[in-house]
Amino acid sequence: MAILGAINPMLSVGLEGGDKAWRLADYVRRGGYAALRRILEEKLPQEYVINEVKKSVLRGRGGAGFPTGLKWSFMPRSFPGDKYVVCNSDEGEPGTFKDRDLLRYDPHSVIEGMAIAAFAMGATRGYNYIHGEIWEIYERFEEALDEARAAGFLGKDILGSGFSFELFAHHGYGAYICGEETALLESIEGKKGQPRFKPPFPASFGLYGKPTTINNTETFASIPYILNLGGEHFLEVGKANNGGTKLFSVSGHVNRPGNYEVPLGTPFVTLLEMAGGMRGGRKLKACIPGGSSSPVVPAATMMECTMDYDSISKAGSMLGSGAVIVMDETTCMVKALERLSFFYYEESCGQCTPCREGTNWLYKVVHRIEHGQGRGDDLDLLASITTNIMGRTICALGDAASMPVQSFVKHYGDEFAYHIEHKKCLVPVDVQRAGSGFFTATV
Amino acid sequence: MLTSESLKRIDREIAKYPADQKQSAVMAALAIAQQERGWLSSEAIEFVAAYLGMAPIAAYEVATFYNMYDLEPVGKYKLSVCTNLPCMLTGGVDAGEYLKRKLGIGYNETTPDGLITLKEGECMGACGDAPVMIVNNRRMCSWMNPEQIDKLLAELK
């Protein structure tokens, strides 16, 4: 895979070579490490860096969309002692696969972004937590770190500036919950990945109890471009309150699933066209615009959306990580929800009772509806379970499990009712099968 | 319990963390132990815990929490198939069914010759390449249509 298309790209410029252009020499040739070099050689103050990031209105690319510059300003940068910068590359939200491509084709942009962040926040040590399932990418990142150390971009006294920053890779090993930032910290500490209660927030009590800032891979990768082009320029590429370009991972029933870099505010219709349009010329039925946790949006509403935090939020969903899961008319919405509900049940860390028990209930009830054993009051039961999970747990996984259930039932309630009444799918099973396209290669 | 080569790899992992935080290397150390021994027995977990100076129960908690650790023996090749929604839309579930038929086993089962264990995996973060599957936690296989699956099975000997 690769980054298959772009409009006004920043992150993916020069990556056309795919697997051949990820090394340090290639990155330097396309202007890499210039931002870090300029900051250190011109002795720019920390405040300057943080202000540029604030001006860019870069919002966290991991899903929450929190303004990065503001997050950085929470770090007590004059606090003596260890401080940490951590990159969250534990990309396991169904539908999201952008960080994998960034680390694969441009690992040094992440390293440079982390080094700049460390400088701005006075951190001397960092970790990149990489999803265990993408092992080849983890190994590549380790290789890129070796290159950066050898070239003097990491380690002690970087480029003779007196600034030191050590960076290491840490791998996950199969736990979705570790994408939650405090679970991720627990995991780096060598424990079960169970989220911590907040406050205290990581900026005051993070990794090993020290001030820590955690950002997503794409967020860090955007930093060098913001410093090179200027925060205002980055903002202007996107739209007000939604700075810059963003990578969108398009999956599901499209002709060319893959990553696309477009300015925030680009119409969904344009993104869908870039992804080759609907597979087999079929009709769009629904779209999950920001990863599996974000509420599903029916086709008619989705076709009116632009891809930015504000527009998707107005449509009743979330831009999240930019994972666009496209479903056509061959999709059984009950089956789709059943699979998602199983995922959250499987991945609940078990710490909070409403989530541990509730995700199991959600899955069981959707499962029995899908399998022809639904009961008349099951939709009310689902609604009641979700409201009893939401807002009653330490982290957002409980909410993430509930939002798909609420939105699927809200928009496709008739399909669920049909299932309960007729004990079968509204969309015939052979139609669903044809939709996946799996057997067309041999049949 | 582990070869000196594996211990050297674990030492490299320990060096990534502050001197008083050896426990941070437990995930990597367990992965290395599993790679060498095929799966994680209680003895292997206890060995890793002792090596890192942590309580055996703490290492056991980690081994049971993360789903890529195998606490029972698996076949020479462990094949984890993603059936999550984005993969499902492009044939992930069908790929799992196809494999079950071809191998004559279900999920969490091993072929009688001990060659292949089939697992249903969760999102592997490669949905654009759907259907995807991972061999032995290391090698990601993309766009696994029937032809590609046949090719992979022929290769896994």
Side-chain angles (χ1 to χ4, degrees):
Chain A
M1 197 171 46
I3 296 166
L4 296 180
I7 298 173
N8 289 338
M10 283 185 270
L11 301 178
S12 60
V13 172
L15 301 184
E16 297 79 12
D19 252 351
K20 294 188 196 78
W22 65 272
R23 294 209 166 263
L24 185 129
D26 305 305
Y27 183 62
V28 168
R29 209 171 299 129
R30 48 181 185 260
Y33 287 111
L36 178 66
R37 187 183 287 279
R38 184 168 72 94
I39 290 166
L40 296 179
E41 286 180 355
E42 295 179 14
K43 300 191 184 340
L44 297 173
Q46 292 171 317
E47 292 75 13
Y48 167 82
V49 176
I50 293 180
N51 270 331
E52 284 303 311
V53 177
K54 277 187 178 167
K55 276 195 271 180
S56 75
V57 198
L58 170 66
R59 295 173 61 169
R61 301 299 196 223
F66 192 82
T68 304
L70 189 60
K71 195 181 210 179
W72 288 12
S73 68
F74 294 154
M75 275 285 268
R77 42 184 196 279
S78 46
F79 170 87
D82 295 333
K83 291 186 284 296
Y84 292 93
V85 168
V86 173
C87 178
N88 185 346
S89 299
D90 192 32
E91 185 178 47
E93 171 88 2
T96 316
F97 48 91
K98 65 192 177 63
D99 298 338
R100 173 173 177 249
D101 269 3
L102 274 176
L103 293 172
R104 182 171 175 187
Y105 300 122
D106 209 19
H108 285 285
S109 67
V110 179
I111 296 173
E112 185 183 7
M114 289 189 74
I116 293 170
F119 168 82
M121 291 181 276
T124 53
R125 228 176 153 82
Y127 293 95
N128 185 8
Y129 190 105
I130 300 174
H131 199 44
E133 284 83 345
I134 52 171
W135 194 265
E136 291 125 322
I137 307 308
Y138 168 75
E139 288 184 332
R140 171 164 300 181
F141 193 75
E142 291 256 64
E143 245 186 281
L145 285 174
D146 284 340
E147 285 186 322
R149 286 182 197 120
F153 293 121
L154 287 176
K156 288 203 169 58
D157 192 20
I158 295 173
L159 304 174
S161 65
F163 166 63
S164 298
F165 178 57
E166 305 280 358
L167 178 58
F168 304 94
H170 181 107
H171 67 76
Y173 226 54
Y176 167 69
I177 190 61
C178 289
E180 197 280 343
E181 61 176 12
T182 59
L184 185 149
L185 297 178
E186 289 283 301
S187 188
I188 296 181
E189 292 182 4
K191 302 171 188 162
K192 289 180 290 184
Q194 292 190 319
R196 299 174 182 171
F197 197 83
K198 293 191 273 193
F201 289 93
S204 51
F205 190 92
L207 183 60
Y208 309 127
K210 306 290 184 194
T212 303
T213 289
I214 303 122
N215 285 130
N216 168 258
T217 318
E218 187 185 352
T219 308
F220 281 124
S222 303
I223 297 298
Y225 300 93
I226 290 170
L227 270 297
N228 286 333
L229 304 167
E232 277 158 21
H233 178 92
F234 187 86
L235 172 59
E236 282 162 17
V237 171
K239 69 180 229 188
N241 198 32
N242 294 269
T245 58
K246 162 126 194 52
L247 286 170
F248 287 96
S249 306
V250 185
S251 65
H253 292 142
V254 293
N255 281 314
R256 291 207 314 154
N259 283 311
Y260 297 87
E261 181 184 0
V262 297
L264 285 168
T266 299
F268 169 72
V269 177
T270 307
L271 184 64
L272 187 59
E273 270 168 27
M274 290 172 80
M278 299 300 295
R279 208 190 293 154
R282 289 190 294 265
K283 258 177 63 186
L284 178 71
K285 179 172 188 175
C287 177
I288 299 178
S292 64
S293 311
S294 64
V296 66
V297 179
T301 314
M302 198 63 216
M303 295 301 272
E304 301 295 315
C305 283
T306 56
M307 300 308 290
D308 56 82
Y309 297 95
D310 301 334
S311 168
I312 300 292
S313 158
K314 241 185 253 161
S317 189
M318 302 183 308
L319 189 72
S321 52
V324 182
I325 306 172
V326 176
M327 293 175 275
D328 69 21
E329 55 204 345
T330 67
T331 313
C332 167
M333 300 311 272
V334 182
K335 198 182 188 70
L337 179 63
E338 182 202 17
R339 187 59 186 87
L340 289 181
S341 295
F342 178 76
F343 171 69
Y344 291 106
Y345 156 57
E346 179 79 9
E347 297 294 338
S348 171
C349 82
Q351 188 175 209
C352 309
T353 306
C355 174
R356 181 186 64 244
E357 303 301 321
T359 51
N360 186 6
W361 276 66
L362 289 177
Y363 169 62
K364 272 189 186 159
V365 175
V366 179
H367 178 81
R368 79 180 177 213
I369 297 175
E370 167 64 18
H371 291 267
Q373 290 157 341
R375 301 171 194 173
D377 56 355
D378 270 353
L379 298 185
D380 295 332
L381 180 58
L382 285 176
S384 148
I385 301 166
T386 57
T387 49
N388 279 297
I389 297 175
M390 292 180 84
R392 294 167 203 261
T393 54
I394 288 175
C395 84
L397 191 139
D399 288 24
S402 302
M403 286 185 291
V405 174
Q406 292 183 340
S407 59
F408 270 72
V409 173
K410 178 179 167 197
H411 295 299
Y412 301 95
D414 51 342
E415 259 186 68
F416 285 79
Y418 185 92
H419 255 277
I420 292 171
E421 194 185 336
H422 300 278
K423 310 199 180 307
K424 60 177 187 182
C425 295
L426 183 61
V427 180
V429 176
D430 53 333
V431 172
Q432 292 179 41
R433 256 185 136 208
S436 89
F438 181 78
F439 288 105
T440 52
T442 50
V443 173
Chain B
M1 184 97 201
L2 296 178
T3 61
S4 61
E5 172 56 28
S6 289
L7 294 179
K8 243 188 256 163
R9 286 176 63 199
I10 294 177
D11 290 342
R12 274 203 297 271
E13 295 296 327
I14 293 173
K16 291 179 178 177
Y17 307 96
D20 57 346
Q21 302 290 348
K22 273 168 94 171
Q23 180 172 340
S24 284
V26 67
M27 289 182 66
L30 288 171
I32 290 165
Q34 175 166 306
Q35 204 179 16
E36 185 192 315
R37 306 195 61 90
W39 64 289
L40 290 176
S41 61
S42 297
E43 291 75 25
I45 296 170
E46 280 166 34
F47 175 85
V48 166
Y51 195 78
L52 298 176
M54 58 195 283
I57 184 67
Y60 194 73
E61 278 185 351
V62 170
T64 53
F65 188 84
Y66 300 88
N67 69 25
M68 288 165 72
Y69 296 116
D70 295 310
L71 303 178
E72 286 167 18
V74 291
K76 185 174 172 197
Y77 299 104
K78 180 176 76 165
L79 211 48
S80 314
V81 184
C82 180
T83 59
N84 209 310
L85 179 60
C87 269
M88 181 175 109
L89 297 173
T90 308
V93 174
D94 300 327
E97 294 308 313
Y98 185 75
L99 274 163
K100 284 183 197 171
R101 267 212 318 272
K102 279 238 138 186
L103 298 171
I105 55 173
Y107 285 130
N108 300 316
E109 290 177 3
T110 303
T111 50
D113 58 1
L115 192 64
I116 294 176
T117 300
L118 197 57
K119 293 255 177 191
E120 187 172 23
E122 280 304 346
C123 186
M124 295 158 185
C127 325
D129 296 5
V132 294
M133 46 194 73
I134 298 179
V135 181
N136 286 349
N137 291 343
R138 291 292 179 272
R139 176 179 158 205
M140 175 89 70
C141 304
S142 300
W143 301 295
M144 298 305 283
N145 60 27
E147 228 168 69
Q148 292 297 324
I149 292 176
D150 290 348
K151 221 193 270 176
L152 177 68
L153 291 181
E155 190 193 311
L156 301 181
K157 289 293 170 208

